[in-house]
Amino acid sequence: MYYQFLLLVHVVCFALWMGAVAASLLVVRTFESRLTTIVGDVTSDAALLRAYIRREVKFVDVVFAGVLVSGIVLAQLYTGWTSWVLTKIGLFVAQFVATMAYIQVFIRPLTYPCPPHLYRRWYGLFAVSLGFFAIMLIVVFFGR
């Protein structure tokens, strides 16, 4: 019973994390035309995007921790510390590091309005995140 509950928490947190990234992609896409031109209230739109991202980061921090903690408890109590578990942890850490590095190098320097070719850096961030999600799902479902 506890195993199924922990597994449910683990899967739900992972799904919420992936869903939050997908939702952010839609928000960033919505703001693209407003933040790549000088038409409209760019300052207000940029502040709105930043506020959304701050809230999304807080939410992702919680579900990220949920995935990590539930995964550690599952490994410690039920599955053991196998090479399979260590591979998943490695992918988890790699996704975190790649995402944070991309944000630091390419997203933080953006100021608005910005040219469309610079705004597209956002899509690179989502490619990194969603690519790692895809790799993780492939490993989880087909890697055993």
Side-chain angles (χ1 to χ4, degrees), residues 12-34:
V12 166
C13 286
F14 184 81
L16 288 171
W17 179 20
M18 197 164 86
V21 170
S24 293
L25 171 61
L26 296 174
V27 169
V28 165
R29 177 70 179 111
T30 300
F31 277 107
E32 181 175 10
S33 63
R34 296 161 61 174

Side-chain angles (χ1 to χ4, degrees), residues 12-124:
V12 166
C13 286
F14 184 81
L16 288 171
W17 179 20
M18 197 164 86
V21 170
S24 293
L25 171 61
L26 296 174
V27 169
V28 165
R29 177 70 179 111
T30 300
F31 277 107
E32 181 175 10
S33 63
R34 296 161 61 174
L35 294 175
T36 57
T37 64
I38 55 173
V39 178
D41 189 3
V42 175
T43 305
S44 175
D45 291 339
L48 189 58
L49 177 61
R50 284 187 195 96
Y52 173 81
I53 295 298
R54 272 193 307 276
R55 285 181 177 78
E56 186 258 353
V57 166
K58 288 178 184 177
F59 175 75
V60 167
D61 287 348
V62 170
V63 295
F64 182 85
V67 170
L68 183 62
V69 170
S70 62
I72 289 170
V73 172
L74 281 166
Q76 186 66 33
L77 299 178
Y78 296 103
T79 62
W81 293 96
T82 64
S83 59
W84 169 250
V85 170
L86 297 176
T87 299
K88 289 190 332 185
I89 289 172
L91 285 170
F92 186 73
V93 170
Q95 179 174 7
F96 177 77
V97 169
T99 301
M100 292 298 109
Y102 192 96
I103 289 169
Q104 189 65 33
V105 172
F106 296 108
I107 301 300
R108 287 194 183 263
L110 289 177
T111 58
Y112 304 103
C114 67
H117 73 278
L118 290 179
Y119 192 84
R120 288 189 195 106
R121 291 177 177 178
W122 278 104
Y123 301 118

